Amino acid sequence: MGPGCCSFSFCWGLGSGHGVGTGSSSLWNLMGNAMVMTQYIRLTPDMQSKQGALWNRVPCFLRDWELQVHFRIHGQGKKNLHGDGLAIWYTKDRMQPGPVFGNMDKFVGLGVFVDTYPNEEKQQEAQKRRYSPGVQRVFPYISAMVNNGSLSYDHERDGRPTELGGCTAIVRNLHYDTFLVIRYVKRHLTVMMDIDGKHEWRDCIEVPGVRLPRGYYFGTSSITGDLSDNHDIISLKLFELTVDRTPEEEKLHRDVFMPSVDNMKLPEMTAPLVPLSGLALFLIVFFSLVFSVFAIVIGIILYNKWQEQSRKRFY
């Protein structure tokens, strides 16, 4: 396995000839409070109640890929007085603001979250309850979630009920570069990080049996609430990975049309009922009345015939 061509890149502030989307800003869209800075895109400033996003406009049809994210999270907030973090997306829908790190809830696809504020832990402290040592998570925390549109991200519990895996990642206010890589190969999802200034990848999440459709969009988003931070994206680089498959793997790895994870039951999506138009409703009521009148008339005719036959028998 090896990296192929870079299918798209966002590399900001690297000198002349470099820019958004391999020199073309037409491949990217900013949303909300996201701002173009000299060396990066700032998704949200260190201010309350802000949200922003950066989305690629071209769907990805690669089978095996690797996304490298160069990011920075920093601000004036002291310990546990900052938030909320950022997310990296590979989803069916793009440019849909919402409560999940600035993106829509009940998304369809993959979300990888860099969560900097422990909502659940603070609730436990307020209720004077404590986690058992094997359950408590240390924040900032990276987690991943696959959704078919039926699940809600539980913000109050920091996504714990739908988490595929995660790890602690101390990424705030560092004086060296921080990187995240998401790799999807042979339905195997891997998330690694380089946050120690050593230029070495460290494992964070590894999940086999992840089925992601092709043709979804890459993006990144962030949100602040009562607490805030600067959330900066310095670069996004997507690489196509060259992978050999056996004939058996080719059969097993056919395209899918809905995200799923093997051995993990996701609720089925039910199509919403389309509301009837005024004309359709009128026609349904009209023909129902016609049918009812027709049935009554037929019933009266049959009843009269039955009475006539009964009289003839008496004569």
Side-chain angles (χ1 to χ4, degrees), residues 52-73:
L54 173 70
W55 283 94
N56 194 261
R57 298 179 62 182
V58 181
C60 174
F61 289 95
L62 301 182
R63 197 175 189 182
D64 304 283
W65 48 264
E66 178 178 289
L67 181 68
Q68 297 179 6
V69 184
H70 184 185
F71 68 99
R72 187 174 180 225
I73 301 176

Side-chain angles (χ1 to χ4, degrees), residues 142 167-169 179-180 191-195 200-203:
I142 297 175
C167 67
T168 296
F179 299 88
L180 188 70
V191 178
M192 297 181 290
M193 55 188 179
D194 175 6
I195 60 172
E200 296 177 355
W201 292 116
R202 182 152 53 93
D203 292 339

